[in-house]
Amino acid sequence: MSDRRRSVRAVCPHDCPDTCAMQVTVEDGRATAVRGAPDVAITRGTLCSKVAHYLERTYSEQRLLYPMKRVGKKGEGRFERISWELALDTIAERFRQLAATDPRSILPYSYAGTMGLVQGSSMDRRFFHRLGASFLDRTICAEAGYQGYKATIGATLGTDPEAFADAPYILIWGSNPVVSNLHLWARIVEAKRKGARVVCIDPVRSLTAEKSDWHLAPLPGTDGALALALMHVLIRDGLVDEDYVARYTTGYAALKRRVADWTPERAAGETGLAAADIEQLAREYGQDGRPAAIRVNYGLNRCAGGGSAMRAISCLPALTGHWRWPQGGILLSTSGTYGTDSHALERPDLYPCDSRFPPRHINMSAIGDALLEADDPAIRAIMVYNSNPVAVAPDSNKVRAGFAREDLFCVVHELFQTDTADFADILLPATSQLEQWDIHKSYGHLNVMVNEPAIASLGEARPNTWVFRELARRMCFTEPCFAETDEEIGAQAFRKEHPRSGNIDMASLQAQGWQRLNVPTPYAPFAEGGFLTPSGKCEFYSDTLAHQGIDPLPHYVPPREGPRSNPALAAKYPLAFVSPPSRHFLNSSFANLPRFVAAEGKPWLDMHPADAAARGLQNGARVRIFNARGAFHASLRVDAIHPGVREGVVSAPSIWWQKLSGDGCNANAVTSQAPTDLGKGATFYDCLVEVTAATD
């Protein structure tokens, strides 16, 4: 390939388990094509429909290209251009003033705008640690499920995604891989061709549910009850692998007592499923002599009992011994397989030891309340990067009100002028993945990959690491770690002594673009026990939870806002509401680009024909979805032949930018800031609403 035309290794940075390897063609300094890398087993040369058009994002005329300061009211989105010098000096001076009184009045807010270890969680964390700012608890997506899974298995590792292609029975629970895990779905399709039976558990008739052999639709937030009933049947009917349980688990006798009264009939009352279907599912899953693989995802952990539900589900493969096979077990995330050195990346040791300012934590899932109500000290400055909280955080009316405070100094570092950017005092232009260096692990496969910058930064866009280096310099932080290059940071990303990622060599990684972790192919992590719990076994009974004052056994926590668990609220708002990801957006990313906005069309609400008829609503009608927290509008979809949801449930694909939604609101106008049982995560899918015809 000529010097004028070259191919560059890259990685998709977005919040998706696939973390696809990419090849970028560059001609005369401009990227002209983005393709999936064919030599990486998980990607196989294929990208999703969003990233396949990544150049439209990179070269969008909507890109922010220079720093700006606000000139209108907060939320109006009016700015004027300034220099980087003035922008950074302004930020540093304001931070310096606030830190002199109480540095905890400053809050970083970031999440998964990039999953890169360097641009996502290195120099930024070092800066805010050294500053002594409030800690942000990053709970908004998966924390409840992580905590439930870790309490049982010890870490977020499980079935090798590649092994799903050979699984004879696959249970997809709270996941929609057709939309959100494309390459795992390709393995599931391969398994189906070999005769596998695929069962999907989801309150919504998702694209995955449509393509599965059997779809069960429990009421939102009742997955824990279903899992307990499955265990009841497995034990009652002798479908337990007694040898595996005796060798590699703890607490079986107590578990038997716990699930003894969780009959299918009892679970049917909670879940809305037929007891006979629960019986059948348990018998199919527990069939002796063949492995079954569970793909469980974050949808089910976004309810009051999300952590407990994940804990109960993660007991199933040990109870049945499906861990014995590489193509058996359960997969939530592969992220725990990596030996990431978060201490070296983030340097928490930099946090100042000052008795006047003990560490203060702010839960990102309750940012609305935090901005409006936090004191001792109040939040006086917030810096947002890799996130768009005004659009994505729950109870968005409160979030907007918090960001609208005139006394809140707000900095946003972004590619586009998002809903959150409209509230910035200082707005900084960020680089895209094609303009920055990074190193990536994954939560959906077992490879480490490197992203090389393919093109020069557009305009005056700068990566996160550059911004925080410059701020550290202005704050007179002299620690050597603030002078490290991106590549020097990346070289520290994985622990050399770790048994699974100690093989990662930076020179080889940069030469090839990727390396598989030091695990067998196929990988059966718990075929002979070796769980990463304190006991080294799958913990049906968790001493760790007991010491925290939490029920040490799997149990059921009903929805906080459920028609059965909260009848008084349901009398006002009788419909359970969920807002799963849109096929054409990724959280709020891509939701401003013309191709994807056109493909999505407009905000939709799926409703069962019986619920629509009871309200006199017709397919295509403009409707108002509301509860005491707020309201938003959407067009109604009612499918009489294949309803998109079960009766009593409504669903609105998300996340629309508020200013592009048609009414200035999105689905998070009605969602709650109340936390999950474990991890204090967000409860987006624990929400009751009513729906009426729109009057505007």
Side-chain angles (χ1 to χ4, degrees):
M1 192 171 290
S2 70
D3 291 340
R4 294 180 58 186
R5 188 173 188 270
R6 58 194 179 93
S7 181
V8 180
R9 286 279 185 177
V11 185
C12 176
H14 294 286
D15 188 6
C16 168
D18 292 48
T19 316
C20 290
M22 306 190 299
Q23 289 182 334
V24 182
T25 301
V26 181
E27 300 182 56
D28 295 327
R30 183 178 178 87
T32 57
V34 175
R35 300 179 180 86
D39 60 337
V40 181
I42 192 68
T43 306
R44 291 182 179 175
T46 303
L47 300 174
C48 74
S49 59
K50 295 180 281 289
V51 179
H53 299 285
Y54 209 66
L55 297 185
E56 295 178 17
R57 175 179 170 86
T58 302
Y59 290 113
S60 170
E61 60 185 21
Q62 298 180 41
R63 281 283 303 271
L64 298 174
L65 297 178
Y66 41 79
M68 295 186 288
K69 70 175 183 179
R70 175 170 64 93
V71 294
K73 292 182 179 179
K74 286 202 171 185
E76 288 183 346
R78 294 196 292 121
F79 299 91
E80 67 179 16
R81 182 175 180 174
I82 59 175
S83 69
W84 267 109
E85 288 296 315
L86 178 57
L88 293 169
D89 287 346
T90 301
I91 297 166
E93 180 59 27
R94 184 62 66 90
F95 282 1
R96 189 179 294 109
Q97 291 171 359
L98 292 171
T101 302
D102 192 331
R104 299 171 302 166
S105 65
I106 303 167
L107 178 70
Y109 194 103
S110 70
Y111 198 61
T114 173
M115 300 294 287
L117 296 175
V118 175
Q119 302 302 336
S121 56
S122 68
M123 195 62 74
D124 60 312
R125 310 296 170 92
R126 296 175 182 186
F127 175 81
F128 287 112
H129 286 154
R130 174 64 176 80
L131 185 62
S134 284
F135 288 91
L136 181 72
D137 290 339
R138 293 172 169 86
T139 63
I140 201 164
C141 178
E143 192 61 24
Y146 274 13
Q147 295 302 324
Y149 195 90
K150 290 176 183 177
T152 311
I153 291 170
T156 52
L157 53 82
T159 309
D160 186 339
E162 296 288 334
F164 274 76
D166 296 314
Y169 191 90
I170 298 172
L171 182 54
I172 303 171
W173 199 327
S175 180
N176 185 14
V178 171
V179 169
S180 59
N181 199 176
L182 175 66
H183 293 95
L184 181 69
W185 179 249
R187 295 343 182 248
I188 293 171
V189 170
E190 189 175 339
K192 281 174 67 70
R193 293 194 188 108
K194 297 174 183 176
R197 179 165 169 79
V198 177
V199 179
C200 180
I201 300 173
D202 195 319
V204 174
R205 183 179 167 82
S206 66
L207 289 173
T208 301
E210 289 179 5
K211 297 175 184 297
S212 297
D213 298 304
W214 187 20
H215 173 214
L216 293 97
L219 290 166
T222 64
D223 303 270
L226 175 57
L228 293 170
L230 294 179
M231 287 192 276
H232 172 97
V233 176
L234 291 169
I235 294 170
R236 183 199 69 193
D237 292 357
L239 299 173
V240 173
D241 186 331
E242 299 286 351
D243 177 70
Y244 191 93
V245 167
R247 289 172 180 264
Y248 306 128
T249 73
T250 63
Y252 178 51
L255 179 69
K256 287 177 70 173
R257 292 191 294 271
R258 171 57 57 88
V259 303
D261 60 352
W262 270 101
T263 64
E265 290 73 22
R266 179 182 176 186
E270 295 289 338
T271 64
L273 299 174
D277 285 343
I278 298 173
E279 294 262 6
Q280 180 182 336
L281 179 62
R283 288 194 299 270
E284 288 185 5
Y285 175 74
Q287 183 178 324
D288 186 37
R290 63 104 173 92
I294 300 175
R295 170 54 167 146
V296 65
N297 211 347
Y298 305 126
L300 65 89
N301 87 173
R302 293 170 180 160
C303 297
S308 297
M310 192 68 73
R311 173 149 163 67
I313 295 166
S314 60
C315 290
L316 292 169
L319 196 64
T320 53
H322 290 318
W323 282 122
R324 294 184 185 275
W325 295 274
Q327 62 270 41
I330 186 170
L331 174 65
L332 170 64
S333 167
T334 62
S335 60
T337 320
Y338 299 78
T340 309
D341 195 339
S342 58
H343 186 278
L345 289 169
E346 302 179 7
R347 295 295 304 276
D349 58 298
L350 295 172
Y351 195 87
C353 183
D354 189 333
S355 60
R356 297 175 301 162
F357 309 127
R360 196 261 295 268
H361 288 256
I362 298 293
N363 186 346
M364 72 183 310
S365 297
I367 188 61
D369 282 346
L371 291 175
L372 294 173
E373 301 172 9
D375 54 16
D376 197 26
I379 298 170
R380 297 298 183 190
I382 187 168
M383 186 164 180
V384 179
Y385 54 102
N386 296 340
S387 189
N388 182 13
V390 171
V392 306
D395 202 351
S396 57
N397 287 326
K398 284 190 174 181
V399 178
R400 262 201 316 271
F403 273 93
R405 284 173 37 202
E406 283 295 332
D407 66 333
L408 177 71
F409 179 63
C410 179
V411 180
V412 177
H413 186 215
E414 253 294 355
L415 276 81
F416 301 102
Q417 192 171 324
T418 62
D419 289 333
T420 307
D422 286 342
F423 290 85
D425 293 291
I426 300 292
L427 182 55
L428 306 175
T431 46
S432 75
Q433 184 74 339
L434 271 58
E435 302 156 66
Q436 60 196 22
W437 193 94
D438 218 331
I439 191 168
H440 288 256
K441 64 176 186 178
S442 172
Y443 64 97
H445 58 73
L446 299 172
N447 301 297
V448 173
M449 296 184 289
V450 67
N451 183 85
E452 300 281 358
I455 58 175
S457 298
L458 300 187
E460 297 179 14
R462 297 292 184 268
N464 291 331
T465 47
W466 184 91
V467 171
F468 288 105
R469 280 191 200 96
E470 289 297 311
L471 287 175
R473 183 169 64 83
R474 283 166 171 78
M475 298 292 291
C476 300
F477 296 166
T478 58
E479 289 81 359
C481 68
F482 289 108
E484 289 177 350
T485 66
D486 291 355
E487 291 84 351
E488 288 171 335
I489 297 170
Q492 305 170 52
F494 299 101
R495 301 198 302 274
K496 300 301 182 185
E497 77 284 0
H498 193 272
R500 294 183 296 277
S501 58
N503 66 311
I504 300 302
D505 175 74
M506 187 57 66
S508 299
L509 183 62
Q510 291 197 273
Q512 180 175 276
W514 62 279
Q515 280 186 271
R516 181 175 167 89
L517 293 176
N518 185 30
V519 296
T521 304
Y523 181 40
F526 308 123
E528 297 179 353
F531 291 89
L532 301 180
T533 56
S535 67
K537 298 182 177 183
C538 180
E539 296 190 350
F540 299 147
Y541 183 101
S542 169
D543 282 326
T544 301
L545 292 180
H547 291 153
Q548 296 172 6
I550 299 171
D551 192 331
L553 288 165
H555 60 286
Y556 175 54
V557 177
R560 191 175 286 108
E561 298 188 13
R564 180 182 174 93
S565 56
N566 196 337
L569 188 64
K572 295 181 179 179
Y573 310 112
L575 298 169
F577 173 71
V578 294
S579 48
S582 158
R583 184 172 192 174
H584 303 100
F585 306 154
L586 204 165
N587 299 322
S588 71
S589 295
F590 301 94
N592 62 310
L593 300 178
R595 175 187 296 274
F596 306 109
V597 172
E600 191 64 18
K602 53 188 171 182
W604 288 96
L605 182 80
D606 286 313
M607 178 180 278
H608 191 275
D611 291 323
R615 291 162 176 77
L617 301 173
Q618 301 293 323
N619 181 54
R622 181 169 167 79
V623 294
R624 179 175 182 262
I625 304 98
F626 66 96
N627 58 22
R629 288 180 288 270
F632 71 103
H633 293 79
S635 295
L636 191 64
R637 292 197 299 200
V638 181
D639 189 330
I641 300 175
H642 299 296
V645 288
R646 60 168 295 151
E647 193 170 351
V649 177
V650 290
S651 171
S654 63
I655 298 172
W656 281 85
W657 285 20
Q658 293 174 356
K659 59 187 172 184
L660 301 180
S661 69
D663 67 353
C665 296
N666 65 17
N668 282 320
V670 299
T671 56
S672 168
Q673 295 181 78
T676 56
D677 54 344
L678 300 179
K680 296 183 180 179
T683 54
F684 291 108
Y685 301 168
D686 196 324
C687 178
L688 287 173
V689 300
E690 180 57 290
V691 178
T692 61
T695 57
D696 56 355

